[in-house]
Amino acid sequence: MNRVRITKTLRGHDTLWFYIFISPWLIGFVLFHLGPMAASLVLSVTNYSVLMPTRFVSISNYQAMFADELFWLSISNTVYYATISVPLTIVTALLLALLLNNSTLRGRALFRSVFYMPSILPLVAVSILWIWLLQPRFGLINTFLSWFAIKGPNWLGDPAWTKPGLIIMRLTHIGADMVIFLAALQGVPVHLYEAAELDGAGRFRKFLHITIPMISPAIFFTFIIGFINSFQVFTQAYIMTGGGPNNATLFYVLYLYQFAFEFFKMGHASAMAWFLFVVIVSLTFVQFRWGSRWVHYGN
Amino acid sequence: MALNQLSRRDFLRLSALGTASTMLAACAVAPAAAPSAGGAQAPAAATVNLQFWSEGAHEWAEEQIALYMEQNPAVTVEYVTFKSQEMTPKLLTASAAGTAPNLTRQDRFRVAGWAGRGGAEPLTAYMEQYSVDPSVFWPATWEECQWQGVTYAIPFNTDGRYVFWNKDIFAAAGLDPETPPPTHDWEAMIDLAVSLTQRESDGVVNVMGFIPSQVLSNAYGNGGDYLYVWANRGSFLIDDRTASLDSPELQQVLQWQKDIVDAVGGIDVAAEFNAGWPTTAGFSPFGAGKLAMMVNGDWNIGDFARYYPDLNFGMAPWEIRNSPGEYTGFAGGFSLAIPAGAASLDETYRLLDFLASYDSQLSASIRYQFIPARKDAALSEELLASSSNPAQRKMANESMEYAHFRPVTPVAGEIHSYWVRPGTARDWVLYGEKDVATACKDMQEAIQKALDEYWVSIGA
């Protein structure tokens, strides 16, 4: 009995310390995330404009949102960007990590630093830089294409090419994903490869049947985070295109920002924010269900 | 020895307690500062702290605030300057938090939006106390500060829009470089835009004749989209409650803009030429001799003198359509306003009076080559003499007498967005997504809806 009581006391003691340790995060989360989120849910059914008296408007913000053609266009633009940029980013980062995980590569540390470096640059500065890189006549991208007799498009001026231009830009910001993959690759037990070699497996089979399953949690993590971030793409469009040309880069959060800070329609903007939240949570849930089929946690 | 060692658990506990204590200490209210030992240098007991926010004009703000505090030692003024367009979101959140500054220098066309939503302090008491005479300001700048018959801001500076033309390109094309483009004749402007456009052997445009819109970027100009409406005797509102964005006058403007863009090669050609020109003063296709004509602001007089000193250009007011010699103009610019609920109103009024004064406006205008909102400052010899081109400066400043201003309405932001910004009416038409009539109809519905919502929201 004494032993049980002591164990329970210890557990209670540990629980208390657990909450003390996480309290800084917990307080911050409640004050700066959960509280504003709950407030925005309430605001989404009001005509809140910050400056004027607020009135309950039921679901009219949601109705107006769904009836707005630009709302659907902004969703279409965002889904296009996310569904293409996320897989491309993961594949590119994984390939890069595989290359830089090669122990025979000379200057490996230097290359890792170089490829990681764009990730630590401010996105605003990078956006200004990419305006020049994507310039149709003198930009480096089109100059490179011209060496192969390809006339590059007007990346930021042609509605058909603006989103691909921003996706190319995104592909240079893969440092964080690359580091995650590098860490995961180094955690794959060598004996698995040795056993596979004894069974006559080649490089591709080893990659497919050992590397991919063993790093699948890392792939899954980057996939989830990539999707969540891509659905909130804002800075590039705000700086580089202002949502144009012809709304080709009117992404969801940019449109939400316009409602909140240009039209003073915080209630409408809150409704948009909650719709985005529900979409992201639903997609993440689906991805988790789907992930349980292919993510290997080693158990 | 073992007794003196901390276990890992104890170390973590102490760390947690330390962190929590630090956070609590940080949250605690700071004690009042101890009185200064030097009694003579101690601040006056009744020191008033004011906050002043300004969109741009950092150097002017720094100079004037220092001067004001020197003259008023009992007042401390903190100032914050923002880049263009960046102050509004911060002012909005500060207002929501009840921490708005005492005084702001903000874009004048937004004043009605703030006033109409209760975000700006009426200046009736200030005007009485300081005997403000509206007639000292350019009419457009004063009218733009009114909402429902009440003054909510004091005009500070303004800027006009004019047609600029490159005299060398005109001369090379066999035109009289001293004669301004025929802005009253819109068909002639289309022909001129085409004839002045030069292409390289591969068809790429080397010199663009004229693109009458800033929808692609400011590389092609600034403010023309509004100017043409007034030149065509149109307006955006019939009254405070009724929009008129589908009027024949506005439809004709959109159609004419599309006709010019199509005539010089279409939107793709215009977009390609425009790509990559930053919108900063030192990078201008007009300044570089790559754009024959544009509509732009008077600030270019100084910018060109600084960045393109050899540029040979003319500048003239835009004419009313089909009325040669009869001009119109567009007055933009800034004003000084007090956010609603600001504390220390008497002290704020004094600061407002100081910053809106002749000397203050003149100082800013000489420094930045603004047009002062006060007529006497705008026409002062000192300001004209400070210009790189006094004749052009004089013409620009005097043109404020007949300049128009953007619609004074709480939905000015929406009108600006639909009429000028990318992705709305002009894009719909230029990219062939909608015809002019449909674009204007959709725009009208959106603005009228915003207007109706506004009036319902205030219960009127």
Side-chain angles (χ1 to χ4, degrees), chain A residues 189-231:
Chain A
V190 181
H191 66 80
L192 294 180
Y193 291 116
E194 290 170 351
E197 278 169 21
L198 287 174
D199 289 340
R203 278 187 176 188
F204 182 69
R205 279 188 170 276
K206 282 193 290 184
F207 175 72
L208 201 63
H209 296 294
I210 297 174
T211 308
I212 291 290
M214 292 305 289
I215 67 165
S216 57
I219 296 174
F220 185 58
F221 174 77
T222 51
F223 192 76
I224 296 280
I225 298 296
F227 251 100
I228 292 173
N229 288 338
S230 297
F231 269 88

Side-chain angles (χ1 to χ4, degrees), chain B residues 21-33:
Chain B
S21 307
T22 310
M23 285 182 67
L24 284 171
C27 293
V29 177

Side-chain angles (χ1 to χ4, degrees), chain A residues 10 13-14 17 20-21 23-24 27 47-53 55 64 68-70 131-132 134-137 151 154 157-159 238 241-247 255 257-258 260-266, chain B residues 9 12-13 16-17 19 23 88-89 92-93 95-96 113-114 116-119 200 204-205 268 271-272 275-276 278 283 413-414 417-418 421-424 427-428 431 433-434 442 449-450 453-454 456-458:
Chain A
L10 275 175
H13 211 57
D14 283 353
W17 280 107
I20 289 175
F21 277 126
S23 61
I27 292 167
N47 67 342
Y48 181 57
S49 67
V50 179
L51 301 168
M52 291 165 66
R55 196 165 44 84
D68 179 4
E69 59 178 307
L70 286 180
I131 291 175
W132 286 94
L134 294 170
Q135 205 275 346
R137 293 187 68 190
K151 186 181 184 305
N154 184 2
D158 183 340
Y238 183 72
T241 58
N246 199 23
N247 287 324
Y255 196 39
Y257 173 87
Q258 287 180 356
F261 293 105
E262 290 180 13
F263 305 153
F264 301 96
K265 291 184 175 176
M266 288 288 176
Chain B
R9 175 167 296 196
L12 289 171
R13 284 173 179 169
L17 280 173
T19 309
M23 285 182 67
T88 301
L92 199 60
T93 49
S95 297
W114 283 90
R117 291 175 173 83
E200 292 176 0
V204 172
V205 172
D268 291 339
E272 183 176 354
F283 298 91
E414 279 92 336
S417 179
Y418 272 89
R421 294 267 173 83
T424 39
D427 267 5
W428 295 337
Y431 284 96
E433 198 177 302
K434 296 177 183 177
D442 290 352
K449 183 168 173 280
E453 283 175 0
Y454 166 74
V456 167
S457 72
I458 62 164

